[in-house]
Amino acid sequence: MLRNLLSNAIKFTKTGHVSLHIHEQESGEGDNLQRWLVFDMEDSGIGIAPEKHAMIFEAFQQADRTTNRKLWWIRIRTFY
């Protein structure tokens, strides 16, 4: 998904910029600590039509929802 978003951002940004910032983010504490790897992408291209957002940015579902594991999550944020 990230590769596709970056590829399209580059393809449809004739002038301007495409940027990707990757950083770690933590929330909660103790047994509720969650670590996120956040990909912030921004471009000045033509954008995505608002009626297509729900289709493109559907929520990720995890098959194993047990809570006794420490997990890393990946979140992709785009700005439009």
Side-chain angles (χ1 to χ4, degrees):
M1 182 172 151
L2 182 61
R3 180 176 169 257
N4 185 49
L5 287 171
L6 282 170
S7 175
N8 284 338
I10 292 166
K11 183 182 352 179
F12 294 110
T13 303
K14 301 216 183 292
T15 60
H17 70 278
V18 175
S19 65
L20 175 64
H21 176 74
I22 303 169
H23 65 279
E24 179 184 348
Q25 183 174 323
E26 293 183 351
S27 64
E29 55 186 47
D31 289 340
N32 295 321
L33 178 66
Q34 290 185 328
R35 291 188 176 122
W36 298 82
L37 188 57
V38 180
F39 296 80
D40 286 325
M41 190 187 91
E42 182 178 35
D43 69 74
S44 58
I46 62 173
I48 299 170
E51 64 272 11
K52 301 291 185 183
H53 290 181
M55 178 182 71
I56 293 170
F57 301 111
E58 290 178 7
F60 170 79
Q61 298 294 320
Q62 177 149 350
D64 181 358
R65 293 190 162 264
T66 59
T67 59
N68 59 350
R69 298 184 301 152
K70 297 283 187 210
L71 301 173
W72 276 83
W73 295 92
I74 296 176
R75 179 173 61 195
I76 299 174
R77 297 189 302 193
T78 59
F79 302 94
Y80 45 87

